[in-house]
């Protein structure tokens, strides 16, 4: 009787749980260089940064777009996933978090050092605080850290939970996945 009850629970609970998990099989790099997507991205960044009274000139937006796409290709992640992480983490701002997290992807100095050693990434010439204002390096380090976690767990939700590591990591992961799905839906991807 006990085995049957467990089997029934597994057959009922697991499908229900799986139906609430956003699909994670399409996070690999995809080329999204259409003008419409690029303009959507630029407007997203402009609006997020404008709410903090930060300017976003065309040169910055173009470079940010290229940086995200280059790092996405390098790490084999969908650029929209990286955009989702940055959107949730910092609203595309170069900020310092409450616990020492740096820049747009809110990566800690210690984590960045580990990622540099693992992937042979360049160490910032002016020190690790460069990750606050150098969004190119910040996105590279943050995305490589997410790649490390994804490769370790082979599960995007877990990778995102550990990327955050805080007490609200489950809701954090859910928020990024929901943002990712929302962006894909907006773009018809």
């Amino acid at each position: 009787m006990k085995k049957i009850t467990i089997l029934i629970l597994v057959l009922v609970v697991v499908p229900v749980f799986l139906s609430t998990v956003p699909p994670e099989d399409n996070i690999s790099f995809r080329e999204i260089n259409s003008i419409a997507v690029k303009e959507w991205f630029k407007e997203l960044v402009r609006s997020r940064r404008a709410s903090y009274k930060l300017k976003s000139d065309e040169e910055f937006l173009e470079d940010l777009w290229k940086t995200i796409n280059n790092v996405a290709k390098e790490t084999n992640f969908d650029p929209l996933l990286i955009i989702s992480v940055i959107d949730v983490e910092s609203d595309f701002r170069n900020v310092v978090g409450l616990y020492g997290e740096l820049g747009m992807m809110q990566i800690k100095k210690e984590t960045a050092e580990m990622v540099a050693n693992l992937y042979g990434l360049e160490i910032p010439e002016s020190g690790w605080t460069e990750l606050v204002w150098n969004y190119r390096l910040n996105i590279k380090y943050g995305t490589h850290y997410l790649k490390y976690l994804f490769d370790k767990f082979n599960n995007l939700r877990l990778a995102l939970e550990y990327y955050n590591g805080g007490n609200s990591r489950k809701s954090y992961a859910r928020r990024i996945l929901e943002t990712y799905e929302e962006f894909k839906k907006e773009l018809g991807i």
Side-chain angles (χ1 to χ4, degrees):
M1 181 68 179
K2 189 175 182 180
K3 287 182 183 180
I4 292 173
T5 304
I6 292 171
L7 180 60
I8 290 171
L9 282 173
V10 168
L11 291 174
V12 171
V13 174
V14 170
V16 169
F17 171 75
L18 290 176
S19 70
T20 65
V21 177
E24 297 174 1
D25 58 351
N26 56 350
I27 64 165
S28 295
F29 177 75
R30 76 172 99 217
E31 194 73 44
I32 55 168
N33 255 342
S34 76
I35 292 171
V37 174
K38 188 189 279 190
E39 290 308 312
W40 167 87
F41 169 78
K42 289 178 179 181
E43 186 52 40
L44 173 73
V45 175
R46 263 190 221 102
S47 69
R48 296 296 197 262
R49 290 174 54 87
S51 66
Y52 298 96
K53 300 186 182 346
L54 297 171
K55 296 195 188 300
S56 303
D57 65 27
E58 191 61 28
E59 184 180 334
F60 164 73
L61 293 169
E62 192 66 35
D63 190 54
L64 184 59
W65 172 256
K66 286 179 185 173
T67 298
I68 290 170
N69 278 282
N70 290 340
V71 172
K73 192 171 196 174
E74 189 177 307
T75 56
N76 195 35
F77 275 131
D78 183 347
L80 289 177
L81 177 62
I82 299 169
I83 292 167
S84 300
V85 172
I86 296 170
D87 188 50
V88 170
E89 282 288 355
S90 67
D91 285 328
F92 300 92
R93 298 174 299 139
N94 298 320
V95 294
V96 177
L98 293 173
Y99 302 102
E101 307 89 353
L102 305 172
M104 287 189 182
M105 290 195 72
Q106 292 290 277
I107 187 166
K108 289 186 175 185
K109 172 190 173 283
E110 301 78 17
T111 306
E113 288 173 339
M114 179 199 73
V115 168
N117 290 331
L118 276 172
Y119 293 101
L121 301 178
E122 63 181 285
I123 295 174
E125 288 180 23
S126 60
W128 292 106
T129 55
E130 185 176 335
L131 292 176
V132 173
W133 53 268
N134 185 334
Y135 60 86
R136 290 177 204 97
L137 280 178
N138 185 277
I139 292 168
K140 185 177 198 104
Y141 277 89
T143 305
H144 274 83
Y145 181 52
L146 185 58
K147 175 182 176 34
Y148 161 77
L149 293 169
F150 181 75
D151 290 347
K152 179 178 179 175
F153 296 112
N154 199 30
N155 180 291
L156 182 57
R157 182 180 296 277
L158 278 176
L160 290 168
E161 286 179 16
Y162 281 87
Y163 187 92
N164 177 274
N167 292 333
S168 60
R169 65 183 180 206
K170 288 190 185 304
S171 61
Y172 166 87
R174 184 174 48 253
R175 188 168 162 215
I176 289 180
L177 290 171
E178 288 170 356
T179 300
Y180 179 49
E181 292 302 317
E182 176 187 318
F183 288 168
K184 288 192 306 184
K185 186 175 180 182
E186 282 179 29
L187 294 167
I189 294 176

